[in-house]
Amino acid sequence: MSENNSREQSHGGQSAPRVARSASSQPLIGKEQIKAHEGVSAASTSGVKVRDKVARRSAPRARRMSLSLTRIDAWSAAKVAFMLSIAVGIIQVVAAALLWTVLDVAGVFDQVTQIVSSTGLDAGGFDLVNVLSLSTVLSAVTIFSIVEVVLITLLVVIVTLLYNVVSTLVGGVHVTLGDD
């Protein structure tokens, strides 16, 4: 608090405009924007209309910001991957139940059983509905989904850790965001 007061007193009661800085202590805004901000603050204190001073630009320019993704937190990636893979597992179980129900209503299981019986491969009362019952299919898909959740979560953590190692060597992924 005393630092701000001493800064205000050293500038004759006016504080210097605060400039947001990135992690590399480079200003996030350009020199033109700082000058425009100083002009706006000076214009607002001198009683001149702000629109007259700011209206110098004819067309607004698109802002661009360059960012780099240098590190991903492995724990947060694991949490996101775990929750998304649980959602995918639930979707798989529901889809398997719906598909089995549609195939059963359409009579596909009975037709396959008749085809197997007519070819002579029926060795003793083969019934596809008993072999692939709804409970058997749902149990298999649920077990598959649980294994899938564990594997996807582990793979995402391993990929995240590998990305962190590689990004320390090459500097990460550089992205330019534009305001179009």
Side-chain angles (χ1 to χ4, degrees), residues 93-102 104 109 128-142:
V93 170
V94 170
L98 289 175
L99 182 64
W100 190 92
T101 306
V102 167
D104 189 38
F109 297 128
L128 190 60
V129 175
N130 292 336
V131 174
L132 294 178
S133 66
L134 181 61
S135 62
T136 306
V137 170
L138 289 183
S139 297
V141 171
T142 303

Side-chain angles (χ1 to χ4, degrees), residues 68-78 80 156-157 159-165 167-168 173:
S68 59
L69 181 61
T70 56
R71 185 178 178 280
I72 300 173
D73 185 32
W75 179 244
S76 66
V80 170
V156 165
V157 169
V159 168
T160 302
L161 294 174
L162 284 174
Y163 176 81
N164 288 339
V165 168
S167 71
T168 57
V173 175

Side-chain angles (χ1 to χ4, degrees), residues 142-155:
T142 303
I143 291 170
F144 175 76
S145 295
I146 291 170
V147 170
E148 186 180 30
V149 165
V150 172
L151 288 178
I152 287 176
T153 304
L154 287 176
L155 285 175

Side-chain angles (χ1 to χ4, degrees), residues 67-121:
L67 302 172
S68 59
L69 181 61
T70 56
R71 185 178 178 280
I72 300 173
D73 185 32
W75 179 244
S76 66
K79 291 188 291 188
V80 170
F82 180 73
M83 295 306 289
L84 288 176
S85 59
I86 283 180
V88 168
I90 291 171
I91 290 170
Q92 286 175 347
V93 170
V94 170
L98 289 175
L99 182 64
W100 190 92
T101 306
V102 167
L103 291 176
D104 189 38
V105 168
V108 172
F109 297 128
D110 294 332
Q111 289 178 355
V112 170
T113 303
Q114 287 176 359
I115 291 172
V116 169
S117 303
S118 67
T119 58
L121 298 175

